Amino acid sequence: MTGQITAAQFHAADGVEDWRSLYHLVSAYFATGSLSKGIALVDEIGRLADEAQQQHLTVDLRDTGVTVSLNRRDVSLARRISAAAKELGLPADPTAVQLINVTLDALAGADVLPFWQALLGYRQIGDDYLFDPSRRSPGFGLQPMDEARPQRNRLHLDIAVPHDQAEARIAAALAAGGHLVSDAHAPMWWVLADAEGNEACVATWVGRA
């Protein structure tokens, strides 16, 4: 099962328990404890993924672990990567998986998006989203406003987390002094704010295509 299946279809498949959907991606984190063990996993992934699959694959190698992301929900490849990690004795840790987007509320997106694209050196997808071509930095999106809101901070963070980690992440934020602004769209997203009213959204795949 490959291609643009839905997040629900991906998670319904067997053998992908290590993986979590985050917006358009599926990601898994494998704890290694050393760079050499991480390199061994990355080397194995390089053998498992063919040239076409590698175009949709991102690997982040650190001394503590390896994060693997697929921008196609490829069940078969995800299974093979998990099997390789298991063979190497590298456990998955879903709590370490997340994807961060920066979102700017804007009255006239078409007027401000070119500025941010030039400033960030990003590329554009659709009418309201920019991405880092190197896949290293957060995405940048625009959210339309009906009218100016000078009393509200217009910049907020969107943080996509695994669906089974959302409640724990929200609880931790509330315990740290934050408050819930809205859960009207949960479980797709919750709006939280810090003590000064600066907002962030915690998002999951649930309810999305």
Side-chain angles (χ1 to χ4, degrees), residues 33-50:
S34 72
L35 196 60
S36 60
K37 291 182 180 179
I39 290 171
L41 176 59
V42 173
D43 190 45
E44 188 63 27
I45 292 171
R47 287 192 287 269
L48 291 172
D50 61 31

Side-chain angles (χ1 to χ4, degrees), residues 109 113 124-130 140-144:
L113 197 65
Q124 185 170 345
I125 297 178
D127 297 328
D128 58 2
Y129 188 78
L130 304 174
F140 184 92
L142 298 179
Q143 181 170 283

Side-chain angles (χ1 to χ4, degrees), residues 139-170:
F140 184 92
L142 298 179
Q143 181 170 283
M145 293 192 303
D146 296 328
E147 58 184 15
R149 296 194 298 267
Q151 77 283 1
R152 179 187 178 197
N153 193 325
R154 293 172 60 191
L155 190 69
H156 70 270
L157 294 182
D158 286 341
I159 306 169
V161 302
H163 66 284
D164 53 358
Q165 302 296 322
E167 291 185 6
R169 185 68 67 92
I170 292 167

Side-chain angles (χ1 to χ4, degrees), residues 168-181:
R169 185 68 67 92
I170 292 167
L174 297 178
H179 65 274
L180 180 67
V181 176

Side-chain angles (χ1 to χ4, degrees), residues 46-122:
R47 287 192 287 269
L48 291 172
D50 61 31
E51 186 174 342
Q53 290 170 324
Q54 289 178 16
Q55 297 178 15
H56 303 286
L57 185 153
T58 302
V59 177
D60 185 309
L61 170 65
R62 308 295 172 101
D63 62 329
T64 54
V66 175
T67 302
V68 187
S69 298
L70 307 174
N71 64 14
R72 285 183 182 265
R73 300 180 181 113
D74 189 332
V75 170
S76 177
L77 180 57
R79 285 174 178 156
R80 296 198 300 274
I81 292 172
S82 288
K86 185 176 182 180
E87 183 70 20
L88 292 168
L90 305 178
D93 180 6
T95 67
V97 175
Q98 68 177 20
L99 175 66
I100 297 177
N101 282 331
V102 178
T103 303
L104 177 68
D105 294 342
L107 286 169
D111 293 340
V112 302
L113 197 65
F115 167 82
W116 289 103
Q117 182 174 3
L119 187 68
L120 297 169
Y122 278 15

